[in-house]
Structures are given as structure tokens and as C-alpha cells.
Amino acid sequence: MTDSRFRHKSLSADDTIQIARKLGARLGPGDFIALSGELGSGKTWFTKGLALGLGVSPDTVVTSPSFALMNAYEGRLTLYHMDVYRLEAVSDFLDTGLEEYFGGEGVVAMEWADRWPDILPDWSIQVKLSVLDEASREITMAGHHVRAVQLIEKIKEELER
């Protein structure tokens, strides 16, 4: 295994959506996006972009599943959008049964994934969103599994053109 890390500055929410849309267009069954960043950093905007890249209708409202724990959006693959912020222990997570979606036929995007590193699959793409100012964000993508590295390198090439 090898590591890949890529940083990119997003200048707006729309820019964040477009960056994520490029990644979403390349995702396949079983891919896992582990999102982290402070409240208001753009995790849900990023997920909206993933959804668009996966062929979810642009009319679909993507919201954080803070209380439901998971929303599913249908596109060329199902996007399982999870928010694990309110869970207090790994046992709470395991009690939900959400891990059954890992590595399946759909794609998982998990907000607040950094709170539970022990449950993340090895093939995760770590996406950290950092607030730079009111509109700008730094988006860092990292991974060490072969699939994650391939995806990150493709996005890096596309964004650096």
C-alpha cells in the first residue's frame, strides 16, 4: 500500500460541490468517503457534490441526517449519507447496524468520521474540510488503500489542469 494526500482550496460552496462532483463521478460500489471538519465547514455541501456525481437528481435536497443517522439517495449507485456526530461510543454505532452498508453495492459518505476512526474501513478516502474564511475552505483528501490512492490521484490531476 502507498499513501496519497492532496490539498485544494475551494472558493465557495458551489466550488466545493463541483470538486466533490468530480470525485462522485468516479466512485464505484463499496467506496467510502470519511468526512471531517468543524461545524459549518461544508461536509454536507461536499456530500451534495458526491450525490450529483453519482447521478442523483439535482432537484434532490441533500441534508445532513443528524437525527436519522442515515439518508439514502438514488443515482447510478445509492449514496448512503451518514452522520455519526450524536453517537457517544463505538458500541452505539455498532448497535445501529450502519456498518452493514460498508463495502456494499452503494457508496458511503460519513460525516464526523474522525470521531470513530476504529470503525472506518481501510479503503476509506479521508476528506477534511477546513474553514479558511467565510466562503473559502481547504479540502484535504487522503488515503492509503490502492483504490483510494487511484481516486485521489485522478482528482488531483483533474483539478490541477
Side-chain angles (χ1 to χ4, degrees), residues 64-131:
S64 184
S66 297
F67 296 100
L69 296 179
M70 185 181 80
N71 293 331
Y73 303 102
E74 296 300 325
R76 67 177 170 80
L77 297 171
T78 303
L79 174 61
Y80 299 104
H81 180 198
M82 300 176 183
D83 184 327
V84 296
Y85 181 78
R86 298 196 185 289
L87 300 177
E88 295 185 19
V90 172
S91 60
D92 294 338
F93 179 84
L94 296 174
D95 287 345
T96 68
L98 291 175
E99 77 278 3
E100 294 175 20
Y101 294 93
F102 295 11
E105 293 300 312
V107 170
V108 172
M110 179 186 287
E111 293 191 32
W112 303 101
D114 55 317
R115 294 192 68 201
W116 309 109
D118 296 342
I119 63 170
L120 301 179
D122 291 339
W123 62 89
S124 300
I125 296 174
Q126 308 287 324
V127 177
K128 181 175 183 180
L129 293 106
S130 303
V131 176

Side-chain angles (χ1 to χ4, degrees), residues 5 13 18 26 29-30 38 53 58 65 102 106 112 115 141:
R5 180 175 298 275
Q18 291 311 313
R26 295 181 177 279
E38 64 189 87
F102 295 11
W112 303 101
R115 294 192 68 201
M141 295 183 199

